[in-house]
Amino acid sequence: MARRTARNAPSGPSPFAVEAEALSVKKFADPQRTADGQRRASVAMTKLDTLWLNTGTLCNLACANCYIESSPTNDALIYLSHDHAVRFLDEAEELETREIGFTGGEPFMNPEFPAILSDALERGFEALVLTNAMRPMRRHEPLLLDLHDRFGARLTLRVSLDHHSQAVHEGERGAHSWDPAMDGLRWLSEHGLSVAVAGRLLPDEKESEARTAYGSLFAREGISVDADSPHSLVLFPEMDEEKDIAEITTECWDILGKSPTDLMCANSRMIVHRKGEAGPRVVACTLIPYDKGFDLGDRLLDASGDVALNHPHCARFCVLGGASCSA
Ligand code: SF4
């Protein structure tokens, strides 16, 4: 398929691949009940703290295990326009949302992204931009310096550095992806911008060991990111919607000692513009852009209903993996 034949796609399987049996088709089939008939857990919205704008799936990379299948040719989610973004920023103001998150694809590839980002900051929101810090971002150095001057730490760039070793990072992201990412990280850090890093854990890798290794890398490279802080270095569990995972029932919260309020869908929503659709839509979270069961309509103000945890990502990434995209 086109994504895997992209010029810069990695040649082998993802080093982060999930090892498990294939998922039974009976699981995640009914929003109300699990395969064995128990009541499926759901999450109520507490407040829209973060509104994510998906800027489009086009990316300069084609990572082996990109959950949203971004690539230089995949425009399944088309570029979000500034005109469309304005409507949702208006609604977010009404809902007293704190932060606007930007994810792609690579946000800096969207020609209207600079206008959308500036608009969000000028309205008083905090802004979190997920980027690979490579050439698309570097083309916008003057914009970033200007926004940093005007808005300081209200703008944070979270750079995807999948692993603290070049070999694993490039196994996932493709050859020649390490040096440009490190250059971009150093540039952001040297110019005093607020920077965070997003990485992944290998199947057998302990989080404490990964943090130590990232810390050594940042110290060596002069990058101002605190590897001990879960906000500055976010380490994600892996996702694979085709591999077996337990379903989450209403009993699970007590058994696992977790609260539904900790999940991203309790305090976030994402805007996506799917190719072929008349306008952008609201979805429950950043992880499930295509499944119509998680489509909540075309207005944020109407999108605060409960979300049934009826997707393998709900289980593996959010409840059992404990991750949140805003952490
Ligand atoms: S993937 Fe996570 S954040 Fe998204 S709907 Fe499921 S539980 Fe909520």
Side-chain angles (χ1 to χ4, degrees):
M1 115 184 221
R3 215 182 81 75
R4 298 294 291 149
T5 55
R7 186 171 42 85
N8 51 355
S11 49
S14 168
F16 300 97
V18 173
E19 290 170 22
E21 299 294 314
L23 185 72
S24 160
V25 292
K26 294 185 180 149
K27 288 188 171 181
F28 302 102
D30 176 346
Q32 307 301 326
R33 298 277 165 185
T34 61
D36 60 1
Q38 297 187 64
R39 279 181 55 216
R40 185 178 303 285
S42 64
V43 170
M45 183 132 206
T46 50
K47 178 183 191 322
L48 184 70
D49 189 53
T50 301
L51 171 63
W52 289 92
L53 300 181
N54 188 296
T55 54
T57 38
L58 285 173
C59 185
N60 52 315
L61 295 176
C63 301
N65 200 15
C66 176
Y67 78 98
I68 208 164
E69 300 186 347
S70 295
S71 80
T73 54
N74 180 9
D75 62 350
L77 299 182
I78 63 172
Y79 285 148
L80 185 69
S81 73
H82 185 205
D83 281 352
H84 279 140
V86 161
R87 181 157 64 78
F88 295 103
L89 292 175
D90 288 346
E91 286 193 283
E93 283 187 318
E94 214 172 309
L95 292 164
E96 299 184 357
T97 297
R98 176 182 62 85
E99 174 186 57
I100 307 298
F102 297 91
T103 184
E106 168 54 50
F108 287 96
M109 287 179 66
N110 178 331
E112 299 196 22
F113 173 62
I116 303 172
L117 175 61
S118 303
D119 189 350
L121 286 162
E122 282 158 6
R123 288 171 187 246
F125 294 112
E126 295 176 33
L128 173 62
V129 182
L130 311 194
T131 177
N132 55 40
M134 295 171 74
R135 191 191 305 236
M137 184 198 84
R138 302 300 295 274
R139 287 201 316 256
H140 292 287
E141 288 175 4
L143 169 80
L144 290 172
L145 293 175
D146 174 55
L147 294 177
H148 175 58
D149 274 353
R150 290 161 64 202
F151 304 109
R154 274 212 279 124
L155 168 63
T156 297
L157 291 109
R158 193 164 81 196
V159 176
S160 299
L161 195 67
D162 275 333
H163 199 250
H164 44 79
S165 73
Q166 177 171 357
V168 175
H169 176 88
E170 293 196 341
E172 173 65 25
R173 302 204 143 228
H176 314 300
S177 60
W178 174 264
D179 286 340
M182 292 303 296
D183 280 349
L185 255 177
R186 274 192 300 269
W187 183 86
L188 290 166
S189 191
E190 281 163 10
H191 288 83
L193 281 99
S194 168
V195 188
V197 165
R200 303 176 178 195
L201 291 170
L202 288 167
D204 296 323
E205 192 170 23
K206 289 196 173 62
E207 180 171 335
S208 57
E209 291 168 4
R211 289 192 181 280
T212 301
Y214 271 107
S216 304
L217 173 70
F218 297 154
R220 243 181 3 253
E221 299 286 343
I223 292 165
S224 316
V225 171
D226 177 1
D228 293 325
S229 159
H231 295 284
S232 300
L233 173 60
V234 190
L235 294 174
F236 289 118
E238 229 16 60
M239 299 190 285
D240 186 334
E241 64 187 46
E242 292 172 3
K243 296 290 173 64
D244 188 42
I245 190 76
E247 295 185 275
I248 307 301
T249 71
T250 50
E251 310 289 306
C252 287
W253 305 120
D254 285 345
I255 295 167
L256 298 169
K258 295 224 166 189
S259 165
T261 59
D262 296 337
L263 270 54
M264 195 196 329
C265 48
N267 53 38
S268 308
R269 292 290 183 258
M270 180 165 76
I271 306 304
V272 296
H273 195 165
R274 300 186 197 97
K275 192 175 185 174
E277 292 187 342
R281 308 282 299 175
V282 185
V283 296
C285 69
T286 59
L287 304 178
I288 312 177
Y290 304 119
D291 186 327
K292 292 296 173 75
F294 292 79
D295 185 310
L296 303 174
D298 62 0
R299 273 165 45 94
L300 268 179
L301 297 173
D302 300 332
S304 58
D306 293 4
V307 176
L309 305 196
N310 192 27
H311 193 283
H313 292 345
C314 304
R316 177 172 280 111
F317 189 87
C318 293
V319 179
L320 304 174
S324 154
C325 265
S326 279

